Amino acid sequence: VTVSTSESVGQNDLLIVGPGVLGRIVAEKWRQEHPDCKIYGQTATTDHHSELTKIGIIPSLKGPRVDQKVPYVIFCAPPYRTDDYPGDLRVAASNWSGEGSFLFTSSTAVYDCNDNGFCGEDSPCVPIGMSPRTDVLLKAENVVLEAGGCALRLDAASLGIAIMKRRLRGRVFVGCDNQPLSRQEIMDRVNRSGKFDGKFEGFTGTDGPLGKRMDNSKTRAEIGWEPKYPSFTEFLGLSN
């Protein structure tokens, strides 16, 4: 599905590259705030185009737009479905008019911490060349930042929208609830919630890195954002 070049681009029109679970939530929330806007969705295949059309997203295959550029672009596609992730970000950047905002949803995996330490927006990242997984993310982030876009490490639809509305340039933000839990603590709370029939009995292994505990106080202060649920514990309906 394409839009003719004669159709004007609205000031709040949005292109979602990778309209999966996160992208569709962004679309729903964006339309609530901008009911007259057009929302486009670029995908790697045509498998879900009929679904997108039903929820008001104009679908197309990923690539340069044949019509006019749009003022808002959010890139939510994962890196494992492409051979050239940074290249896909360059194409997405070429679809951005330079107005509004261009936002890439990245990951906190890029932070160089695996000893259960605290990390914030400005914590050191894994050096390029140390890990293929983080290399692809950092190179993609660099494409976005050089184009004037922003990177959001860790996915949150409401935070992504709040950042786009600020029309910031070349910035890195973090999305988290500031209430870090270990995997064991998460599963203990899931069991305690009684929301599932089965019971989690335990993990099969105990080796591997400890991970990191994220803090996004700077992002919250600048963007004025708070998560819908203050913690995973309260999301499950339990008291902290």
Side-chain angles (χ1 to χ4, degrees):
V1 176
T2 59
V3 180
S4 66
T5 54
S6 61
E7 185 173 341
S8 62
V9 174
Q11 63 179 358
N12 295 310
D13 286 358
L14 172 67
L15 168 63
I16 302 171
V17 182
V21 174
L22 174 66
R24 295 183 194 197
I25 297 172
V26 168
E28 180 184 3
K29 292 180 178 295
W30 190 261
R31 193 178 299 285
Q32 288 171 358
E33 297 195 27
H34 309 289
D36 297 326
C37 76
K38 294 183 290 294
I39 299 178
Y40 306 94
Q42 287 192 349
T43 60
T45 71
T46 60
D47 294 351
H48 300 287
H49 280 196
S50 60
E51 296 173 26
L52 296 174
T53 301
K54 288 177 183 176
I55 59 176
I57 298 175
I58 303 168
S60 64
L61 290 173
K62 71 176 184 181
R65 284 172 57 83
V66 296
D67 52 348
Q68 295 157 309
K69 299 180 180 183
V70 293
Y72 291 92
V73 177
I74 183 168
F75 191 105
C76 307
Y80 55 78
R81 298 192 67 180
T82 177
D83 294 328
D84 185 9
Y85 202 50
D88 289 350
L89 268 300
R90 290 187 190 93
V91 172
S94 75
N95 293 327
W96 179 41
S97 68
E99 304 164 8
S101 182
F102 174 32
L103 182 65
F104 168 49
T105 57
S106 184
S107 169
T108 57
V110 300
Y111 288 111
D112 192 12
C113 176
N114 285 297
D115 60 358
N116 203 31
F118 276 100
C119 286
E121 291 85 350
D122 302 322
S123 296
C125 291
V126 178
I128 292 286
M130 293 291 291
S131 163
R133 181 192 177 199
T134 54
D135 277 3
V136 71
L137 290 169
L138 289 169
K139 289 176 181 178
E141 284 190 5
N142 287 338
V143 170
V144 175
L145 298 173
E146 288 169 7
C150 295
L152 170 58
R153 293 168 177 165
L154 203 60
D155 299 342
S158 63
L159 177 54
I161 287 175
I163 292 169
M164 287 196 290
K165 287 167 64 176
R166 293 293 298 273
R167 301 186 174 193
L168 299 165
R169 298 289 184 267
R171 302 290 306 282
V172 171
F173 299 98
V174 165
C176 63
D177 64 12
N178 281 354
Q179 302 288 331
L181 298 174
S182 68
R183 290 178 176 85
Q184 185 63 57
E185 288 171 329
I186 289 172
M187 297 315 299
D188 288 344
R189 283 157 175 76
V190 167
N191 280 344
R192 188 155 55 93
S193 73
K195 293 181 180 294
F196 303 93
D197 293 335
K199 282 288 184 181
F200 177 75
E201 301 297 338
F203 293 99
T204 58
T206 57
D207 57 348
L210 293 175
K212 55 185 72 71
R213 292 183 285 175
M214 297 304 307
D215 178 275
N216 70 338
S217 299
K218 288 183 64 175
T219 294
R220 294 185 187 214
E222 180 169 357
I223 303 300
W225 172 86
E226 295 286 336
K228 180 178 180 180
Y229 297 98
S231 68
F232 179 71
T233 306
E234 289 170 81
F235 165 71
L236 289 173
L238 303 172
S239 58
N240 261 328

